[in-house]
Every structure is written in C-alpha cells, then in structure tokens.
Amino acid sequence: MLDIKKIRENAASIQSELSKRGPRYSLQGLLDKDKKRKELLLKAEELKAKRNKASEEIAALKKIKQDASQLIQEMQGVSAEVKALDPEINSLTEEINEELLNIPNLPDSSVPAGKDEKDNQVIREWGIKPSFDFVARDHTDVGETLDILDFKTAAKLSGTRFAILKNNGAMLERAIISFFLDIHIQKHGYQEIWVPFLVNPQSLQGTGQLPKFESELFKCRDDELYLIPTAEVPVTNMHRDEILDAALLPRKYVCYTACFRREAGSYGKDTRGLIRNHQFNKVELVKFAKPENSFQELEDLTHDAEEVLQLLKIPYRVVALCSGDLGFSSAKTYDLEVWMPGESRYREISSCSNFTDYQARRMNIKYRDDNKTLQFVHTLNGSGVAIGRAFAAILENYQQKDGSVLLPEVLLKYTNGIKIINKA
RNA sequence: GGAGGCGUCGCAUAGUGGUUGAGUGCACCGGUCUUGAAAACCGGAGUCCGGGCAACUGGACCGAAGGUUCGAAUCCUUCCGCCUCCGCCA
C-alpha cells in the first residue's frame, strides 16, 4: 500500500500520478478520515496521559495507606471518556486501512502513459519468426492430433479451461519445468524453493490479490484457504514481518508451482487450448532488493526470463506496460510475449514487475540501510516463464509438415533423448 | 477428530493487579584494556503512531480481539498459532 504520510504531505501530486492509471482513485475521503482520526487520537492520548499519571499517584497514596478515593472517582470519568473515544478511533483506522488496501501502486515515472494494452510500448524483439511451407496450425490442433493434449476428457473431469497432458506431452511439460529451474538456479543464481499451493487470506493481502480481487481466486469452502494464483504469493510472503539482513540483499528465489485462477470475466476469451486455463504450471522468479537497486534488478530479472526463451529459440518481444495496463501492485512491468505462428500473433508468456515498497509495506518486510535505519525492501517478481504457454509455443514454432513436433535442443537432456514427438 | 501443554523486546528465559519507565543470559553496537584480536570490564541499545526548529516529549505494543478495574504481561471470555500424545491416513 501507499504511505499515508506521503499521501498527507503530497496529496495533489499523488492524486495526479494515480489518475495515470485511468479510473479515478479519489484520495479525498481518505484525507478527511485521516484528519478526523488524528484529532480524536490527540484527545484520547491526552486523556490517557492524565490517567497514567494519576494511576502512579494512586499507587503512591495506597502505599503509604492514604485515601485516594477522590482521584479514583475522577479517573472513572476520564476512563469513561477514553472508552468512548477508542472504538471511534479504531473504526476510523480500519476504514482508512481498508481504503489504502484498495489504492493501487503509483506508476514509475519511466512507465509510458496510456489507457490500455494498445498503448504498451515494444522495447525490443528477439529471434526470427519461423516460416513454413504449409499452413501453420495452432497448438491445440497440433497437440490433439499427436494425442498429447486432451481437452475433452479434462472437461469431463473438471470442466472447461482444464487440460490433460498425455504421453510425450506429459513428459515435455516435466522437461520444461526442470529446464527452467536448472537455468535459473545454476546460471542465474536463484535459490530454489518449494512452497504450499494453499495459502491464508493474510498472504493474499500481502501481495495485493485481496481484498480487491477475491473473485479471481479459488477458495476452499470449509477452510480459510485459497489456491495460489501464482507462486509470487507464498514466496514473497515467506519474509512477511521480517527484517532482512542487508548483506544478503538481493535475495533471489525461483519456485515452481501450479497456479489456479478462476478467470472470472474472461468468458469467451481464449477458451481453446492451453492459453488461459484454470490450472497451469509456472516457474516464478522472486526478488527482495534494496530500493536504490530495484529498477536495475527488474532489468536483470527480465533478462533472466528472456534467456530461457532464447535458449529454446522461440521468437519473442519485450513490451513495457503503459500506465493504464499496469497491474494493481506494480510500479513498472515488462511483459514477454512469444510468437505464436498458429495464431500469427504474440502471446504473453511472462510478466516481470517491480512492486517497489508497495507489497513490502503491506507485508512489513524491512532491512537496515547503511545508517542502520529500518527501510522497506523492494519486491519484484516475474514468470521465468509460464510452462503451459511455453509448451504451446514449442508446439507451434517447432511443428513439422507431417504433424510431428521437433523438440528444442536444450531440452534433450530432459527428454530422455527424445528429439521429436510423433503420433503415438 | 480426541487429550494435554505453550505463546513475553533478534534468540532463550524471569515475571500472577500498582517504583514494570518489562528484569536476566546470549547475540548486537560503542568504549577501556591489547601490536591486533579474543577474553574481561564499563556503557548503550526495540518497534509503531503523534507533538516540537531542536534538546526533548505524549501515546501504544508481552499471539489477536473483547471484558473486569482508577490501574492488566498478570484476572475473565472468545479466537488464532505452535508443540506433544492418541486416532485416521499418502
């Protein structure tokens, strides 16, 4: 969340930065409540100071066995006043907090201004789009023909937007996961971590999914637990309420998890194939960084994610999200988009963001700076990268005229030497 | 699911209604001593929210929320978390 002190001091400029996101987030109600709360707080604290002092006097009087009944009577009145004020202050505090939780992060000044995804900026492109002497098919078509993807049976088990991977398809999914993990662990120096796929509401509030986006989450009926929409949630929350050792920053984690999203509101969109499923696999990169380095860390993290696509030799581009398309908690985001020949378009496969101190403030994650002052860390994360979409991209970019799919060379050591997927 | 135990300032602990402005040990920071270090000794240190140009100063915080009281780490209620044992189980 944003710092209430900064909002108080720079209301106008923060308001204008917020409005770059598009929908109006008004700070006025917040400021009014804050002012009211401060007045009441001052009053209550004065009363409490008075009471604390009198309590000492009463104790002293009782010790020498003198009568304190007049003071006690007086303090009964003071305590009654306090008892009236405190709940009012508490409910104002709660309301203020609630409003703060619903205000998104401020876009960084380097973020291109814009309304929606059409205003996103292509930063760079990599690779050569494959050319085929036949009509390229989409991954659903390719996968079903090879009997490695089965959406019909998945629908029987769970409904739409689920997939079953079969035969060498299941094997390929596993190979991609292992390959991504190994690159980030061995080459990029991330620490491997394995986490729960179910988390409590507090964790989701920490990273920003709650309270505003509950409808996107799968929730357990009998327990206060949610299925994670991304590994970002458990991994970032590992350090909730902690003071991190400055010498160990940046901390870099890589984590494979399944991810679960309700995709409410995306009815009719990408209903086919692997692109937008309720359950998908992802290898996630998460960093905790010092504020002065966080934007450089974002560049590095983005390059780390890009490298797995380069190694797979899949063409992609890097896009800077504009202010209107930015995620709720993010100050700056680069999307990686892979080329999908079957659709003749780019598809998002990774999203790399710097959340600055927004999540850290929600989660209370700090470190001591060079002056030994406590500061909030900056948190970052990015997909490195989504497995299902990488699977789809491989099928489309590596498809052959006869319907088979060649496998990227770098995967050979993970596929038990299988170089090509043919119909079983 | 059943029974029992426990949640105190980074860690470990003391503390059952009023000098608790939460003690002690370890760890931490500064100093003395030392060629340097260790040890020893001396001293200092928490977080959050306010007021003040500042020195400084008010309030809150002992898992959480309520309650009793002039006054709560301490008493009462509810909740949460952790541990141990039993049951069930991959």
Side-chain angles (χ1 to χ4, degrees), chain A residues 8 38 45 49 52 55 58-59 62 72 75-76 79 83 90 366 374:
Chain A
R8 223 179 267 153
K38 219 163 150 182
E45 287 187 355
N52 286 344
S55 280
I58 291 169
K62 290 220 164 180
I72 289 176
M75 285 312 110
Q76 282 173 345
S79 269
K83 215 167 260 183
N90 287 344
K366 297 181 170 178
L374 284 175

Short mmCIF file of all heavy atoms in Angstrom, two decimals, chain A residues 8 38 45 49 52 55 58-59 62 72 75-76 79 83 90 366 374, chain B residues 18-19 29 46-51 58-60 66-71:
data_model
loop_
_atom_site.label_atom_id
_atom_site.label_comp_id
_atom_site.label_asym_id
_atom_site.label_seq_id
_atom_site.Cartn_x
_atom_site.Cartn_y
_atom_site.Cartn_z
N ARG A 8 -0.62 12.35 2.82
CA ARG A 8 -0.94 13.54 3.58
C ARG A 8 -0.16 14.74 3.07
O ARG A 8 -0.68 15.83 2.91
CB ARG A 8 -0.55 13.29 5.03
CG ARG A 8 -1.53 13.75 6.08
CD ARG A 8 -0.98 13.38 7.44
NE ARG A 8 -1.44 12.09 7.94
CZ ARG A 8 -0.74 11.32 8.82
NH1 ARG A 8 0.43 11.70 9.25
NH2 ARG A 8 -1.25 10.18 9.21
N LYS A 38 -6.83 11.82 13.51
CA LYS A 38 -5.73 12.47 14.22
C LYS A 38 -6.25 13.34 15.35
O LYS A 38 -5.69 13.34 16.45
CB LYS A 38 -4.95 13.33 13.22
CG LYS A 38 -3.47 13.27 13.44
CD LYS A 38 -2.73 13.77 12.23
CE LYS A 38 -1.43 14.40 12.61
NZ LYS A 38 -0.72 14.93 11.44
N GLU A 45 -5.14 10.54 23.59
CA GLU A 45 -3.80 10.39 24.16
C GLU A 45 -3.59 11.34 25.33
O GLU A 45 -2.90 11.01 26.30
CB GLU A 45 -2.74 10.57 23.08
CG GLU A 45 -2.69 9.38 22.14
CD GLU A 45 -1.54 9.42 21.16
OE1 GLU A 45 -0.82 10.45 21.13
OE2 GLU A 45 -1.37 8.45 20.43
N ALA A 49 -2.68 10.10 29.04
CA ALA A 49 -1.51 10.63 29.75
C ALA A 49 -1.92 11.04 31.17
O ALA A 49 -1.22 10.76 32.15
CB ALA A 49 -0.93 11.81 28.99
N ASN A 52 -2.55 7.89 33.22
CA ASN A 52 -1.30 7.23 33.60
C ASN A 52 -0.67 7.91 34.80
O ASN A 52 -0.14 7.26 35.71
CB ASN A 52 -0.32 7.22 32.42
CG ASN A 52 -0.73 6.23 31.35
OD1 ASN A 52 -1.56 5.35 31.59
ND2 ASN A 52 -0.18 6.38 30.16
N SER A 55 -2.67 7.28 37.96
CA SER A 55 -2.51 5.91 38.43
C SER A 55 -1.28 5.78 39.31
O SER A 55 -1.29 5.08 40.32
CB SER A 55 -2.38 4.96 37.25
OG SER A 55 -3.65 4.67 36.74
N ILE A 58 -2.08 7.31 42.61
CA ILE A 58 -2.93 6.44 43.41
C ILE A 58 -2.09 5.34 44.05
O ILE A 58 -2.22 5.05 45.24
CB ILE A 58 -4.04 5.82 42.53
CG1 ILE A 58 -5.02 6.91 42.11
CG2 ILE A 58 -4.76 4.69 43.28
CD1 ILE A 58 -6.00 6.49 41.03
N ALA A 59 -1.22 4.76 43.27
CA ALA A 59 -0.35 3.70 43.78
C ALA A 59 0.48 4.22 44.94
O ALA A 59 0.64 3.55 45.96
CB ALA A 59 0.54 3.17 42.67
N LYS A 62 -1.69 4.75 48.04
CA LYS A 62 -2.06 3.47 48.66
C LYS A 62 -0.89 2.88 49.43
O LYS A 62 -1.07 2.23 50.45
CB LYS A 62 -2.53 2.49 47.59
CG LYS A 62 -3.86 2.88 46.98
CD LYS A 62 -4.75 1.68 46.75
CE LYS A 62 -6.17 2.15 46.52
NZ LYS A 62 -7.10 1.06 46.28
N ILE A 72 -9.54 8.46 42.36
CA ILE A 72 -10.13 7.30 41.68
C ILE A 72 -11.45 7.68 41.04
O ILE A 72 -11.71 7.34 39.88
CB ILE A 72 -10.33 6.14 42.67
CG1 ILE A 72 -8.96 5.54 43.05
CG2 ILE A 72 -11.22 5.05 42.08
CD1 ILE A 72 -9.01 4.46 44.10
N MET A 75 -10.85 9.65 37.97
CA MET A 75 -10.34 8.84 36.86
C MET A 75 -11.42 7.95 36.25
O MET A 75 -11.32 7.56 35.10
CB MET A 75 -9.16 7.99 37.32
CG MET A 75 -7.87 8.78 37.50
SD MET A 75 -7.48 9.86 36.10
CE MET A 75 -7.77 11.48 36.80
N GLN A 76 -12.43 7.65 37.02
CA GLN A 76 -13.55 6.89 36.47
C GLN A 76 -14.15 7.66 35.30
O GLN A 76 -14.48 7.09 34.27
CB GLN A 76 -14.60 6.61 37.53
CG GLN A 76 -14.21 5.48 38.47
CD GLN A 76 -15.18 5.32 39.63
OE1 GLN A 76 -15.99 6.20 39.92
NE2 GLN A 76 -15.08 4.19 40.31
N SER A 79 -11.67 7.59 32.33
CA SER A 79 -11.68 6.29 31.66
C SER A 79 -12.92 6.11 30.80
O SER A 79 -12.87 5.51 29.73
CB SER A 79 -11.61 5.16 32.69
OG SER A 79 -10.27 4.82 32.93
N LYS A 83 -13.01 5.35 26.87
CA LYS A 83 -13.74 4.19 26.38
C LYS A 83 -14.70 4.57 25.26
O LYS A 83 -15.07 3.75 24.42
CB LYS A 83 -14.50 3.54 27.53
CG LYS A 83 -14.58 2.03 27.41
CD LYS A 83 -15.04 1.39 28.70
CE LYS A 83 -13.88 0.82 29.49
NZ LYS A 83 -14.32 0.12 30.72
N ASN A 90 -10.62 3.38 16.50
CA ASN A 90 -10.35 2.07 15.89
C ASN A 90 -11.11 1.89 14.59
O ASN A 90 -10.54 1.39 13.61
CB ASN A 90 -10.75 0.95 16.86
CG ASN A 90 -9.75 0.83 18.00
OD1 ASN A 90 -8.63 1.36 17.92
ND2 ASN A 90 -10.14 0.15 19.06
N LYS A 366 11.31 -5.42 6.01
CA LYS A 366 12.26 -4.32 6.07
C LYS A 366 13.70 -4.80 6.05
O LYS A 366 13.97 -6.00 6.12
CB LYS A 366 12.02 -3.52 7.35
CG LYS A 366 10.66 -2.86 7.41
CD LYS A 366 10.48 -2.07 8.67
CE LYS A 366 9.20 -1.23 8.58
NZ LYS A 366 8.98 -0.49 9.82
N LEU A 374 15.66 1.44 9.67
CA LEU A 374 14.79 0.44 9.04
C LEU A 374 14.11 1.03 7.81
O LEU A 374 13.55 2.13 7.86
CB LEU A 374 13.73 -0.03 10.05
CG LEU A 374 14.19 -1.00 11.12
CD1 LEU A 374 13.06 -1.27 12.11
CD2 LEU A 374 14.68 -2.30 10.51
P G B 18 0.86 -5.51 41.69
OP1 G B 18 2.11 -6.17 41.32
OP2 G B 18 0.32 -5.61 43.05
"O5'" G B 18 1.02 -3.95 41.33
"C5'" G B 18 1.54 -3.56 40.07
"C4'" G B 18 1.62 -2.05 40.04
"O4'" G B 18 0.30 -1.53 40.34
"C3'" G B 18 2.59 -1.47 41.06
"O3'" G B 18 3.41 -0.49 40.42
"C2'" G B 18 1.71 -0.79 42.11
"O2'" G B 18 2.22 0.51 42.42
"C1'" G B 18 0.40 -0.56 41.36
N9 G B 18 -0.81 -0.70 42.14
C8 G B 18 -1.10 -1.55 43.17
N7 G B 18 -2.33 -1.43 43.62
C5 G B 18 -2.87 -0.43 42.83
C6 G B 18 -4.15 0.16 42.84
O6 G B 18 -5.11 -0.12 43.55
N1 G B 18 -4.28 1.15 41.88
C2 G B 18 -3.29 1.52 41.02
N2 G B 18 -3.58 2.48 40.17
N3 G B 18 -2.07 0.99 40.99
C4 G B 18 -1.94 0.04 41.93
P U B 19 4.75 -0.82 39.76
OP1 U B 19 5.25 0.43 39.16
OP2 U B 19 4.51 -1.99 38.96
"O5'" U B 19 5.70 -1.32 40.97
"C5'" U B 19 6.28 -0.40 41.86
"C4'" U B 19 7.32 0.44 41.16
"O4'" U B 19 7.69 1.56 41.97
"C3'" U B 19 8.66 -0.20 40.88
"O3'" U B 19 8.58 -1.05 39.74
"C2'" U B 19 9.56 1.00 40.62
"O2'" U B 19 9.41 1.47 39.29
"C1'" U B 19 8.95 2.06 41.56
N1 U B 19 9.77 2.33 42.77
C2 U B 19 10.80 3.25 42.65
O2 U B 19 11.05 3.80 41.60
N3 U B 19 11.53 3.46 43.79
C4 U B 19 11.34 2.87 45.01
O4 U B 19 12.06 3.18 45.95
C5 U B 19 10.25 1.93 45.06
C6 U B 19 9.54 1.68 43.98
P C B 29 28.33 -5.80 16.27
OP1 C B 29 28.83 -5.78 14.89
OP2 C B 29 29.07 -6.53 17.32
"O5'" C B 29 28.11 -4.30 16.76
"C5'" C B 29 27.41 -3.36 15.95
"C4'" C B 29 27.16 -2.10 16.73
"O4'" C B 29 26.28 -2.38 17.85
"C3'" C B 29 28.40 -1.49 17.40
"O3'" C B 29 29.18 -0.73 16.50
"C2'" C B 29 27.76 -0.63 18.49
"O2'" C B 29 27.22 0.56 17.97
"C1'" C B 29 26.62 -1.54 18.94
N1 C B 29 27.01 -2.41 20.09
C2 C B 29 27.02 -1.83 21.37
O2 C B 29 26.72 -0.64 21.49
N3 C B 29 27.38 -2.60 22.43
C4 C B 29 27.70 -3.88 22.25
N4 C B 29 28.03 -4.59 23.33
C5 C B 29 27.71 -4.48 20.96
C6 C B 29 27.36 -3.72 19.91
P G B 46 16.20 1.85 21.46
OP1 G B 46 15.71 2.67 20.33
OP2 G B 46 15.89 2.24 22.84
"O5'" G B 46 15.75 0.35 21.24
"C5'" G B 46 16.30 -0.41 20.19
"C4'" G B 46 15.28 -1.34 19.66
"O4'" G B 46 14.59 -1.98 20.76
"C3'" G B 46 14.16 -0.67 18.87
"O3'" G B 46 14.54 -0.49 17.52
"C2'" G B 46 13.00 -1.65 19.02
"O2'" G B 46 13.16 -2.74 18.12
"C1'" G B 46 13.22 -2.16 20.44
N9 G B 46 12.42 -1.43 21.44
C8 G B 46 12.86 -0.57 22.41
N7 G B 46 11.91 -0.09 23.16
C5 G B 46 10.76 -0.67 22.65
C6 G B 46 9.41 -0.53 23.05
O6 G B 46 8.94 0.15 23.95
N1 G B 46 8.56 -1.30 22.25
C2 G B 46 8.97 -2.09 21.21
N2 G B 46 8.01 -2.74 20.55
N3 G B 46 10.23 -2.23 20.83
C4 G B 46 11.06 -1.50 21.59
P U B 47 14.01 0.71 16.68
OP1 U B 47 14.77 0.71 15.41
OP2 U B 47 13.96 1.92 17.52
"O5'" U B 47 12.53 0.25 16.37
"C5'" U B 47 12.28 -0.92 15.60
"C4'" U B 47 10.81 -1.22 15.60
"O4'" U B 47 10.38 -1.56 16.94
"C3'" U B 47 9.91 -0.05 15.22
"O3'" U B 47 9.83 0.12 13.81
"C2'" U B 47 8.58 -0.46 15.84
"O2'" U B 47 7.95 -1.46 15.07
"C1'" U B 47 9.05 -1.10 17.15
N1 U B 47 9.05 -0.14 18.28
C2 U B 47 7.83 0.12 18.88
O2 U B 47 6.80 -0.37 18.50
N3 U B 47 7.89 1.00 19.93
C4 U B 47 9.01 1.63 20.43
O4 U B 47 8.90 2.39 21.39
C5 U B 47 10.22 1.31 19.75
C6 U B 47 10.20 0.45 18.71
P C B 48 9.63 1.55 13.23
OP1 C B 48 9.80 1.44 11.78
OP2 C B 48 10.41 2.54 14.00
"O5'" C B 48 8.08 1.82 13.55
"C5'" C B 48 7.10 1.00 12.93
"C4'" C B 48 5.75 1.30 13.53
"O4'" C B 48 5.77 0.97 14.95
"C3'" C B 48 5.33 2.76 13.52
"O3'" C B 48 4.83 3.17 12.26
"C2'" C B 48 4.27 2.78 14.60
"O2'" C B 48 3.07 2.19 14.14
"C1'" C B 48 4.89 1.84 15.64
N1 C B 48 5.66 2.59 16.67
C2 C B 48 4.95 3.19 17.71
O2 C B 48 3.71 3.10 17.71
N3 C B 48 5.63 3.87 18.67
C4 C B 48 6.95 3.95 18.60
N4 C B 48 7.58 4.64 19.57
C5 C B 48 7.70 3.36 17.55
C6 C B 48 7.03 2.68 16.61
P C B 49 4.94 4.69 11.87
OP1 C B 49 4.52 4.77 10.46
OP2 C B 49 6.26 5.22 12.28
"O5'" C B 49 3.83 5.39 12.77
"C5'" C B 49 2.48 4.99 12.66
"C4'" C B 49 1.64 5.77 13.64
"O4'" C B 49 1.97 5.37 14.99
"C3'" C B 49 1.89 7.27 13.65
"O3'" C B 49 1.22 7.91 12.58
"C2'" C B 49 1.35 7.66 15.02
"O2'" C B 49 -0.06 7.71 15.03
"C1'" C B 49 1.81 6.47 15.87
N1 C B 49 3.10 6.73 16.55
C2 C B 49 3.08 7.45 17.75
O2 C B 49 1.98 7.84 18.19
N3 C B 49 4.24 7.71 18.39
C4 C B 49 5.39 7.27 17.88
N4 C B 49 6.51 7.54 18.54
C5 C B 49 5.44 6.54 16.65
C6 C B 49 4.28 6.30 16.02
P G B 50 1.68 9.36 12.16
OP1 G B 50 0.88 9.71 10.98
OP2 G B 50 3.16 9.44 12.11
"O5'" G B 50 1.17 10.23 13.38
"C5'" G B 50 1.93 11.31 13.81
"C4'" G B 50 1.29 11.87 15.05
"O4'" G B 50 1.57 10.99 16.17
"C3'" G B 50 1.85 13.21 15.48
"O3'" G B 50 1.22 14.27 14.77
"C2'" G B 50 1.54 13.22 16.97
"O2'" G B 50 0.18 13.49 17.21
"C1'" G B 50 1.84 11.75 17.33
N9 G B 50 3.24 11.56 17.70
C8 G B 50 4.19 10.81 17.05
N7 G B 50 5.36 10.83 17.62
C5 G B 50 5.18 11.65 18.73
C6 G B 50 6.10 12.05 19.74
O6 G B 50 7.28 11.75 19.86
N1 G B 50 5.49 12.89 20.68
C2 G B 50 4.17 13.29 20.64
N2 G B 50 3.78 14.09 21.62
N3 G B 50 3.31 12.92 19.71
C4 G B 50 3.88 12.10 18.79
P G B 51 2.08 15.46 14.21
OP1 G B 51 1.17 16.31 13.41
OP2 G B 51 3.30 14.91 13.62
"O5'" G B 51 2.47 16.24 15.54
"C5'" G B 51 1.46 16.80 16.37
"C4'" G B 51 2.08 17.47 17.56
"O4'" G B 51 2.61 16.47 18.45
"C3'" G B 51 3.28 18.36 17.25
"O3'" G B 51 2.89 19.64 16.79
"C2'" G B 51 3.98 18.41 18.60
"O2'" G B 51 3.32 19.29 19.48
"C1'" G B 51 3.77 16.97 19.09
N9 G B 51 4.91 16.12 18.74
C8 G B 51 4.99 15.22 17.70
N7 G B 51 6.15 14.61 17.64
C5 G B 51 6.88 15.14 18.69
C6 G B 51 8.20 14.87 19.12
O6 G B 51 9.02 14.09 18.64
N1 G B 51 8.55 15.65 20.23
C2 G B 51 7.72 16.56 20.84
N2 G B 51 8.24 17.20 21.88
N3 G B 51 6.48 16.82 20.44
C4 G B 51 6.14 16.08 19.38
P G B 58 6.80 12.37 28.49
OP1 G B 58 6.42 12.40 29.91
OP2 G B 58 7.77 11.37 27.99
"O5'" G B 58 5.48 12.25 27.61
"C5'" G B 58 4.30 12.94 28.02
"C4'" G B 58 3.19 12.65 27.07
"O4'" G B 58 3.58 13.07 25.73
"C3'" G B 58 2.83 11.18 26.88
"O3'" G B 58 2.02 10.69 27.92
"C2'" G B 58 2.11 11.22 25.54
"O2'" G B 58 0.81 11.76 25.67
"C1'" G B 58 3.00 12.20 24.77
N9 G B 58 4.06 11.49 24.05
C8 G B 58 5.39 11.40 24.40
N7 G B 58 6.09 10.68 23.56
C5 G B 58 5.16 10.27 22.61
C6 G B 58 5.33 9.47 21.45
O6 G B 58 6.36 8.94 21.02
N1 G B 58 4.12 9.29 20.77
C2 G B 58 2.92 9.83 21.15
N2 G B 58 1.88 9.54 20.38
N3 G B 58 2.75 10.59 22.22
C4 G B 58 3.90 10.76 22.90
P G B 59 2.11 9.14 28.34
OP1 G B 59 1.25 8.96 29.52
OP2 G B 59 3.52 8.70 28.37
"O5'" G B 59 1.41 8.45 27.08
"C5'" G B 59 0.03 8.69 26.82
"C4'" G B 59 -0.37 8.02 25.53
"O4'" G B 59 0.44 8.55 24.44
"C3'" G B 59 -0.11 6.52 25.45
"O3'" G B 59 -1.10 5.78 26.13
"C2'" G B 59 -0.14 6.30 23.95
"O2'" G B 59 -1.45 6.35 23.45
"C1'" G B 59 0.62 7.54 23.46
N9 G B 59 2.05 7.26 23.31
C8 G B 59 3.08 7.65 24.13
N7 G B 59 4.24 7.23 23.72
C5 G B 59 3.96 6.52 22.55
C6 G B 59 4.83 5.83 21.64
O6 G B 59 6.05 5.71 21.70
N1 G B 59 4.12 5.25 20.61
C2 G B 59 2.76 5.32 20.44
N2 G B 59 2.24 4.69 19.39
N3 G B 59 1.93 5.96 21.27
C4 G B 59 2.61 6.53 22.29
P A B 60 -0.72 4.37 26.79
OP1 A B 60 -1.88 3.92 27.59
OP2 A B 60 0.61 4.46 27.43
"O5'" A B 60 -0.59 3.45 25.50
"C5'" A B 60 -1.73 3.22 24.68
"C4'" A B 60 -1.33 2.47 23.44
"O4'" A B 60 -0.36 3.25 22.71
"C3'" A B 60 -0.63 1.14 23.68
"O3'" A B 60 -1.54 0.11 23.98
"C2'" A B 60 0.09 0.94 22.35
"O2'" A B 60 -0.81 0.53 21.34
"C1'" A B 60 0.53 2.37 22.04
N9 A B 60 1.90 2.61 22.53
C8 A B 60 2.29 3.27 23.67
N7 A B 60 3.59 3.33 23.83
C5 A B 60 4.08 2.65 22.73
C6 A B 60 5.39 2.36 22.30
N6 A B 60 6.49 2.72 22.96
N1 A B 60 5.53 1.66 21.15
C2 A B 60 4.43 1.30 20.48
N3 A B 60 3.15 1.52 20.77
C4 A B 60 3.04 2.21 21.92
P G B 66 -10.66 -4.61 20.46
OP1 G B 66 -10.95 -3.33 19.79
OP2 G B 66 -9.65 -4.67 21.55
"O5'" G B 66 -12.01 -5.23 20.98
"C5'" G B 66 -12.44 -4.92 22.28
"C4'" G B 66 -13.44 -5.95 22.74
"O4'" G B 66 -12.85 -7.27 22.61
"C3'" G B 66 -13.79 -5.84 24.21
"O3'" G B 66 -14.78 -4.85 24.42
"C2'" G B 66 -14.20 -7.25 24.56
"O2'" G B 66 -15.49 -7.54 24.09
"C1'" G B 66 -13.16 -8.04 23.77
N9 G B 66 -11.92 -8.20 24.55
C8 G B 66 -10.69 -7.65 24.28
N7 G B 66 -9.78 -7.96 25.16
C5 G B 66 -10.45 -8.75 26.09
C6 G B 66 -9.99 -9.37 27.27
O6 G B 66 -8.87 -9.35 27.75
N1 G B 66 -11.01 -10.08 27.91
C2 G B 66 -12.30 -10.17 27.45
N2 G B 66 -13.13 -10.89 28.21
N3 G B 66 -12.75 -9.59 26.35
C4 G B 66 -11.79 -8.90 25.72
P G B 67 -14.50 -3.75 25.55
OP1 G B 67 -15.59 -2.76 25.44
OP2 G B 67 -13.10 -3.32 25.47
"O5'" G B 67 -14.70 -4.59 26.88
"C5'" G B 67 -15.90 -5.33 27.08
"C4'" G B 67 -15.78 -6.27 28.24
"O4'" G B 67 -14.70 -7.21 28.00
"C3'" G B 67 -15.40 -5.65 29.57
"O3'" G B 67 -16.49 -4.99 30.20
"C2'" G B 67 -14.95 -6.89 30.35
"O2'" G B 67 -16.05 -7.66 30.78
"C1'" G B 67 -14.21 -7.66 29.25
N9 G B 67 -12.76 -7.42 29.32
C8 G B 67 -11.98 -6.70 28.45
N7 G B 67 -10.71 -6.67 28.79
C5 G B 67 -10.66 -7.42 29.97
C6 G B 67 -9.57 -7.75 30.82
O6 G B 67 -8.39 -7.44 30.69
N1 G B 67 -9.97 -8.52 31.90
C2 G B 67 -11.26 -8.91 32.14
N2 G B 67 -11.45 -9.65 33.24
N3 G B 67 -12.29 -8.63 31.36
C4 G B 67 -11.92 -7.88 30.30
P U B 68 -16.20 -3.77 31.16
OP1 U B 68 -17.51 -3.20 31.54
OP2 U B 68 -15.16 -2.90 30.54
"O5'" U B 68 -15.56 -4.47 32.43
"C5'" U B 68 -16.34 -5.34 33.24
"C4'" U B 68 -15.51 -5.86 34.39
"O4'" U B 68 -14.41 -6.65 33.88
"C3'" U B 68 -14.83 -4.79 35.22
"O3'" U B 68 -15.71 -4.21 36.16
"C2'" U B 68 -13.71 -5.59 35.88
"O2'" U B 68 -14.18 -6.35 36.96
"C1'" U B 68 -13.29 -6.53 34.73
N1 U B 68 -12.16 -5.98 33.97
C2 U B 68 -10.89 -6.18 34.47
O2 U B 68 -10.69 -6.78 35.51
N3 U B 68 -9.88 -5.63 33.73
C4 U B 68 -10.00 -4.94 32.55
O4 U B 68 -8.99 -4.51 32.01
C5 U B 68 -11.34 -4.77 32.09
C6 U B 68 -12.36 -5.28 32.80
P U B 69 -15.79 -2.61 36.30
OP1 U B 69 -16.79 -2.31 37.34
OP2 U B 69 -15.92 -2.03 34.95
"O5'" U B 69 -14.36 -2.22 36.86
"C5'" U B 69 -13.97 -2.62 38.18
"C4'" U B 69 -12.53 -2.27 38.44
"O4'" U B 69 -11.68 -3.02 37.51
"C3'" U B 69 -12.15 -0.83 38.16
"O3'" U B 69 -12.52 0.03 39.23
"C2'" U B 69 -10.64 -0.93 37.98
"O2'" U B 69 -10.00 -1.06 39.23
"C1'" U B 69 -10.51 -2.26 37.23
N1 U B 69 -10.42 -2.04 35.77
C2 U B 69 -9.15 -1.88 35.24
O2 U B 69 -8.15 -1.92 35.91
N3 U B 69 -9.11 -1.66 33.89
C4 U B 69 -10.19 -1.57 33.03
O4 U B 69 -10.00 -1.36 31.84
C5 U B 69 -11.47 -1.76 33.66
C6 U B 69 -11.54 -1.98 34.98
P C B 70 -13.12 1.46 38.88
OP1 C B 70 -13.54 2.06 40.16
OP2 C B 70 -14.08 1.33 37.75
"O5'" C B 70 -11.85 2.27 38.34
"C5'" C B 70 -12.01 3.57 37.77
"C4'" C B 70 -10.65 4.21 37.63
"O4'" C B 70 -10.14 4.52 38.95
"C3'" C B 70 -9.58 3.33 37.02
"O3'" C B 70 -9.63 3.35 35.61
"C2'" C B 70 -8.31 3.96 37.55
"O2'" C B 70 -7.97 5.14 36.87
"C1'" C B 70 -8.75 4.33 38.98
N1 C B 70 -8.43 3.25 39.94
C2 C B 70 -7.10 3.04 40.33
O2 C B 70 -6.22 3.74 39.83
N3 C B 70 -6.81 2.08 41.20
C4 C B 70 -7.79 1.32 41.72
N4 C B 70 -7.45 0.38 42.59
C5 C B 70 -9.15 1.51 41.35
C6 C B 70 -9.43 2.48 40.48
P G B 71 -9.48 1.98 34.82
OP1 G B 71 -9.59 2.30 33.39
OP2 G B 71 -10.38 0.97 35.41
"O5'" G B 71 -7.98 1.59 35.14
"C5'" G B 71 -6.91 2.36 34.57
"C4'" G B 71 -5.59 1.88 35.09
"O4'" G B 71 -5.57 1.99 36.53
"C3'" G B 71 -5.28 0.41 34.84
"O3'" G B 71 -4.79 0.21 33.53
"C2'" G B 71 -4.22 0.14 35.90
"O2'" G B 71 -2.98 0.66 35.52
"C1'" G B 71 -4.77 0.96 37.08
N9 G B 71 -5.58 0.15 37.98
C8 G B 71 -6.95 0.15 38.09
N7 G B 71 -7.38 -0.69 38.99
C5 G B 71 -6.23 -1.28 39.50
C6 G B 71 -6.07 -2.27 40.52
O6 G B 71 -6.93 -2.84 41.18
N1 G B 71 -4.73 -2.57 40.72
C2 G B 71 -3.68 -2.00 40.04
N2 G B 71 -2.47 -2.43 40.38
N3 G B 71 -3.82 -1.07 39.11
C4 G B 71 -5.11 -0.76 38.89
#
